[in-house]
């Protein structure tokens, strides 16, 4: 089945620590992959996207993601987390012509 | 610089009532979609449109209707609201799915 899996429902990190959020996809020879962030009460904002080329993608707010075809993964990383990064993060995968399939999300808590 | 505008932001309905959730974008995007967001389930596609006059069903279309008479507007109609339709609804648009969506800020709907 076409799907995106985010295995971590909730992650807590200390401010200044590094962050990695996991995403695995299971469909597509040429996957189109995205990471979105949702702050409380807000819509989703695009952080970064990948569809070809360099497998390390830079996004906004200091985030990056690495596409690894051998592991079917597209993990999101940030070297040093800020308190304002506390939010919910969604991985998404373009499946077919007309849909983005979203994962179930990972909620990030940042502690001082 | 409006982007995607959704109205209303909050709504409470009684079971069996009907209503229309409004969505408008000013970016001349051809693609528009409606998603619902439920805890632990991520975002699920309800209906989408690839241009004026063209709509199609997503993953969870039952109980919802859409139309696309103009490029700018993509309203979502609940014909007879049910408690299972309690959710947060997001409208999104894009010129091309490989670019990712621009999301509205959402409508929180409660059906009692």
């Amino acid at each position: 089945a076409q799907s995106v899996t985010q295995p971590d429902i909730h992650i807590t990190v200390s401010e200044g620590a590094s962050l990695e959020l996991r995403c695995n996809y299971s469909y597509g020879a040429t996957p189109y992959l995205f990471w979105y962030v949702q702050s409380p009460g807000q819509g989703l904002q695009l952080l970064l996207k990948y569809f070809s080329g360099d497998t390390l993608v830079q996004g906004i707010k200091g985030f990056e993601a690495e596409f690894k075809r051998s592991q079917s993964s597209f993990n999101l990383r940030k070297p040093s987390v800020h308190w304002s990064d506390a939010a919910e993060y969604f991985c998404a995968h373009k499946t077919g012509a007309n849909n983005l399939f979203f994962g179930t999300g990972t909620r990030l808590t940042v502690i001082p | 610089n409006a982007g995607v505008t959704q109205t209303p932001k909050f709504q409470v309905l009684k079971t069996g009532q009907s209503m229309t959730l409004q969505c408008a974008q000013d970016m001349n995007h051809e693609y528009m979609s409606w998603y619902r967001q439920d805890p632990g389930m991520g975002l699920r596609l309800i209906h989408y449109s690839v241009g004026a006059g063209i709509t199609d069903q997503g993953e969870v279309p039952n109980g919802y209707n859409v139309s696309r008479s103009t490029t700018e507007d993509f309203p979502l109609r609940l014909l007879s609201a049910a408690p299972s339709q309690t959710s947060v609804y997001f409208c999104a648009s894009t010129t091309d799915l490989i670019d990712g969506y621009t999301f509205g800020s959402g409508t929180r709907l409660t059906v009692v």
Side-chain angles (χ1 to χ4, degrees):
Chain A
Q2 307 169 6
S3 70
V4 167
T5 303
Q6 294 181 249
D8 303 306
I9 296 173
H10 184 206
I11 285 182
T12 300
V13 300
S14 298
E15 191 168 15
S18 63
L19 171 70
E20 183 168 24
L21 302 182
R22 296 184 290 165
C23 173
N24 295 97
Y25 69 94
S26 61
Y27 175 82
T30 306
Y32 297 90
L33 296 161
F34 307 82
W35 275 100
Y36 283 85
V37 61
Q38 183 183 30
S39 298
Q42 302 296 314
L44 280 74
Q45 181 184 21
L46 182 65
L47 283 175
L48 48 80
K49 60 187 178 186
Y50 170 82
F51 57 89
S52 67
D54 193 343
T55 56
L56 185 63
V57 180
Q58 302 297 321
I60 63 172
K61 303 178 187 245
F63 285 92
E64 66 180 27
E66 186 170 13
F67 172 65
K68 294 184 177 180
R69 185 183 296 277
S70 61
Q71 298 177 20
S72 297
S73 69
F74 187 57
N75 294 349
L76 182 71
R77 302 194 296 241
K78 187 169 185 178
S80 177
V81 170
H82 187 263
W83 65 266
S84 61
D85 294 323
E88 188 147 20
Y89 292 80
F90 292 92
C91 183
H93 179 203
K94 180 179 179 291
T95 61
N98 296 311
N99 188 18
L100 284 188
F101 188 95
F102 286 82
T104 52
T106 298
R107 184 161 61 93
L108 174 66
T109 297
V110 180
I111 56 176
Chain B
N1 193 21
V4 178
T5 302
Q6 290 185 239
T7 56
K9 292 190 181 302
F10 301 95
Q11 184 71 47
V12 178
L13 287 179
K14 294 182 178 179
T15 297
Q17 286 185 316
S18 63
M19 78 160 295
T20 300
L21 279 63
Q22 301 291 345
C23 175
Q25 52 90 9
D26 61 358
M27 299 171 284
N28 202 32
H29 287 170
E30 291 296 324
Y31 279 82
M32 295 187 74
S33 296
W34 277 101
Y35 286 86
R36 60 177 289 173
Q37 183 179 28
D38 301 293
M41 304 189 74
L43 280 78
R44 293 180 291 168
L45 182 66
I46 303 171
H47 285 285
Y48 65 93
S49 168
V50 299
I54 307 170
T55 64
D56 207 344
Q57 297 180 351
E59 295 175 69
V60 288
N62 293 340
Y64 308 95
N65 279 354
V66 291
S67 59
R68 185 94 180 271
S69 56
T70 67
T71 299
E72 295 77 20
D73 299 299
F74 191 44
L76 178 72
R77 297 184 189 85
L78 283 71
L79 302 178
S80 178
S84 61
Q85 294 178 304
T86 294
S87 187
V88 181
Y89 291 85
F90 287 100
C91 180
S93 72
T94 185
T95 51
D96 191 320
L97 281 180
I98 66 170
D99 293 328
Y101 277 118
T102 299
F103 279 85
S105 57
T107 295
R108 184 175 293 275
L109 176 68
T110 302
V111 182
V112 298

